[in-house]
Amino acid sequence: QQQVKQSPQSLIVQKGGISIINCAYENTAFDYFPWYQQFPGKGPALLIAIRPDVSEKKEGRFTISFNKSAKQFSLHIMDSQPGDSATYFCAASMGTGNTPLVFGKGTRLSVIA
Amino acid sequence: GAVVSQHPSRVICKSGTSVKIECRSLDFQATTMFWYRQFPKQSLMLMATSNEGSKATYEQGVEKDKFLINHASLTLSTLTVTSAHPEDSSFYICSARPTFWSYNEQFFGPGTRLTVL
């Protein structure tokens, strides 16, 4: 199975709150899990990525949590700001090859003041 | 670092014409580049994988004679939409993987908005 399932489809969060987006995958060969942020009319930008040898990775306000046994990973955005309003995509791939990323369907995040 | 550019950013053409889109990795070499198309409010759909010096690998359902891909150097891949029709109107995005990076980090260009009249 190549699918990556992402939820929720859309999310509204108050300014200062925590945004949480979840993804689940099927293929146990996947070993690289990035998150991308995309603003309207722009290309996706790599936000943060994790490998399965760690359960959590934090960069600033962004944290990835990874649960290998459950085949799930999530993005947490702490202290969410209006400028974080964008579409977020999780993805997965087999890390060491020149293989395409398998993307989730995306989550549209709106952070309201 | 890891900047990818695309040109043009926006193109409007008449039905039946061909359009070429360039994807360049500006500060790294990329043996492999990928081409995607994206419809409004949808995820990225992989069209093809482009390897420098060899033929592209197309995803099922993507017409290779319509979407010509050339990856002639380690920093440039081109996508030519031949005999474009209105249904080809979309947002086309490329990504590039740095050749000597250890993991499958991919960096995306800013996209090209194609409108076929």
Side-chain angles (χ1 to χ4, degrees), chain B residues 39-95:
Chain B
F39 293 105
K41 298 184 181 181
Q42 291 190 23
S43 189
L44 293 88
M45 184 185 80
L46 179 68
M47 299 176 67
T49 301
S50 166
N51 290 298
E52 187 264 340
S54 62
K55 291 184 178 180
T57 303
Y58 290 82
E59 294 300 298
Q60 192 173 10
V62 177
E63 299 176 58
K64 62 180 180 181
D65 294 331
K66 181 166 189 64
F67 298 100
L68 299 178
I69 292 172
N70 183 276
H71 192 158
S73 79
L74 288 173
T75 59
L76 173 64
S77 176
T78 60
L79 168 68
T80 301
V81 184
T82 61
S83 186
H85 288 95
E87 58 266 30
D88 299 324
S89 298
S90 190
F91 192 53
Y92 292 87
I93 317 173
C94 69
S95 73

Side-chain angles (χ1 to χ4, degrees), chain A residues 19 105 108:
Chain A
S19 304
K105 291 186 181 293
R108 297 186 65 166

Side-chain angles (χ1 to χ4, degrees), chain A residues 31-32 36 38 41-44 46 51 89 93-101 103-106 108, chain B residues 32 34 36 38 41-44 46 49 51 91 93 97 102-111 113:
Chain A
D31 62 356
Y32 174 70
Y36 286 85
Q38 185 179 29
K42 305 294 183 184
L46 180 61
R51 293 171 48 188
F89 293 98
S93 78
M94 288 170 275
T96 54
N98 291 324
T99 54
L101 294 168
F103 281 91
K105 291 186 181 293
R108 297 186 65 166
Chain B
T32 304
F34 303 91
Y36 297 82
Q38 186 177 36
K41 298 184 181 181
Q42 291 190 23
S43 189
L44 293 88
L46 179 68
T49 301
N51 290 298
F91 192 53
I93 317 173
R97 180 185 182 277
S102 58
Y103 261 75
N104 199 11
E105 293 91 346
Q106 294 182 22
F107 299 93
F108 284 81
R113 173 76 58 194

